[in-house]
Amino acid sequence: FHHQKMEINKIFRMGLVNGSCLNSEEQSGLEVAMLMRKLQENLVGQPLFWGKIYGSTQDYLIVQHVDPYAEFPDKKFYFCTTSDYTLKAAPPLNEEYSTIASKIASPFLGDPSFFAYNGEEADQESEDPEAKPVERFREVHRLTYTIQKIDHDCFLVPRGSLSVDTGKRVMVNNNYQGLSYQTSLQLRAYMHLRRPENPQGIALMKRPGIVKTDDFLDCIDKDQPKEMWIISHDSAGTISFVRNLYWEGYGFYAVLKSNDYGGAYFGTGVPNYDIAFML
């Protein structure tokens, strides 16, 4: 099942939200890479497109896979560059690497192995092509950190589109009929697709029995500053678009009165630190 229904054939919708899309070579390269990864890892369900992070030499394409049997939609991320459509798992992060990554504000290069953030010489690396790369902080670790931050801060589902079963598993709500136009104008119509962090949501998930409310997820109307979220509609008023001004490049769409929705990120991977001055 798909919590975040960004099938690769729906990416054209992102052009309506933030003017970004994949070109035909990227889309076909990624489709093959996703199929290969699915077969190699015996993944259940379909890997989904997550986004694109622009680098100065080449770009990163990112894919996510959601375990359909997990209690909560925990995601595993894969990436490739636009010069090599082979999806690799985003590496895990320790606390030290997360701290380093949080302090870098320069543009991405597009080279996963890059490490010389402090001007270190490349000849520190072994000349032996057979030698294993030295374990050190590289751009690929910054990529993991950035994906996790954007996913935590931005990725959305419409209110009511997910439900919780008696075993406390978060599921797609088959009764979800989509948002109405009036509802779609309000921030409270959109929920974070992440483990709940508000006390009410945490308590609901621990309570025995069925969770009847759709308030078990964190709502974006509690985010600070609220003004970082912008809601708009297409000219016909049939699709709502939600954009994030802190992570410029994240866009979400929901076709009204329909269960068709999705989101993706197309951006530099650097947040808009000036947002406090803009608002």
Side-chain angles (χ1 to χ4, degrees):
F1 70 97
H2 297 157
H3 291 279
Q4 178 73 25
K5 303 189 290 187
M6 205 62 219
E7 288 99 340
I8 198 157
N9 62 356
K10 298 253 183 84
I11 292 173
F12 72 91
R13 288 214 191 273
M14 297 317 299
L16 302 172
V17 191
N18 54 20
S20 302
C21 232
L22 295 181
N23 65 36
S24 55
E25 182 196 332
E26 291 167 343
Q27 183 152 337
S28 55
L30 206 49
E31 279 174 353
V32 173
M34 286 159 85
L35 182 60
M36 293 296 289
R37 179 51 62 189
K38 180 177 162 74
L39 295 173
Q40 284 162 352
E41 284 197 36
N42 232 346
L43 297 176
V44 179
Q46 190 62 31
L48 300 172
F49 179 70
W50 183 92
K52 180 178 185 177
I53 290 179
Y54 303 122
S56 50
T57 57
Q58 55 193 357
D59 303 330
Y60 291 106
L61 300 174
I62 299 122
V63 165
Q64 62 182 357
H65 178 260
V66 180
D67 179 357
Y69 300 117
E71 180 183 292
F72 199 87
D74 288 328
K75 302 172 183 179
K76 187 171 180 185
F77 295 105
Y78 301 89
F79 74 95
C80 66
T81 63
T82 44
S83 66
D84 177 11
Y85 295 103
T86 307
L87 285 170
K88 300 181 179 73
L93 283 183
N94 58 30
E95 203 170 318
E96 179 199 354
Y97 282 7
S98 294
T99 304
I100 296 170
S102 70
K103 294 176 177 165
I104 302 170
S106 55
F108 276 84
L109 279 181
D111 174 5
S113 63
F114 176 78
F115 65 89
Y117 287 102
N118 299 313
E120 297 93 335
E121 292 298 320
D123 61 13
Q124 290 179 6
E125 298 281 60
S126 168
E127 297 296 320
D128 180 4
E130 298 299 309
K132 282 193 75 170
V134 180
E135 175 50 46
R136 51 154 49 111
F137 181 84
R138 297 174 186 275
E139 186 167 89
V140 68
H141 298 108
R142 181 190 178 195
L143 183 68
T144 297
Y145 173 83
T146 303
I147 293 168
Q148 290 176 352
K149 284 291 289 178
I150 295 171
D151 198 75
H152 172 275
D153 291 355
C154 295
F155 276 69
L156 308 180
V157 289
R159 179 183 287 274
S161 60
L162 302 184
S163 59
V164 183
D165 71 4
T166 48
K168 289 294 179 285
R169 277 198 330 147
V170 175
M171 321 272 296
V172 166
N173 178 5
N174 293 324
N175 297 321
Y176 173 69
Q177 301 289 319
L179 299 172
S180 70
Y181 181 78
Q182 286 304 322
T183 308
S184 73
L185 296 167
Q186 303 163 19
L187 290 177
R188 67 180 305 279
Y190 307 98
M191 318 294 280
H192 284 287
L193 180 55
R194 66 188 186 205
R195 288 182 181 274
E197 295 171 5
N198 72 76
Q200 180 193 5
I202 294 167
L204 277 170
M205 294 298 280
K206 288 183 175 164
R207 195 181 298 163
I210 296 174
V211 177
K212 291 204 168 78
T213 171
D214 52 16
D215 274 337
F216 61 92
L217 295 172
D218 298 335
C219 182
I220 67 170
D221 68 357
K222 302 285 190 294
D223 292 350
Q224 292 298 329
K226 267 185 193 155
E227 294 80 5
M228 77 169 91
W229 291 105
I230 301 288
I231 301 171
S232 59
H233 289 78
D234 67 335
S235 54
T238 55
I239 308 175
S240 73
F241 302 125
V242 186
R243 289 180 300 119
N244 186 287
L245 294 183
Y246 182 66
W247 291 105
E248 284 182 300
Y250 175 75
F252 172 83
Y253 78 88
V255 179
L256 304 185
K257 299 184 179 169
S258 148
N259 63 2
D260 182 3
Y261 61 86
Y265 176 78
F266 286 83
T268 61
V270 180
N272 178 10
Y273 294 111
D274 295 334
I275 188 165
F277 302 106
M278 290 168 54
L279 300 174

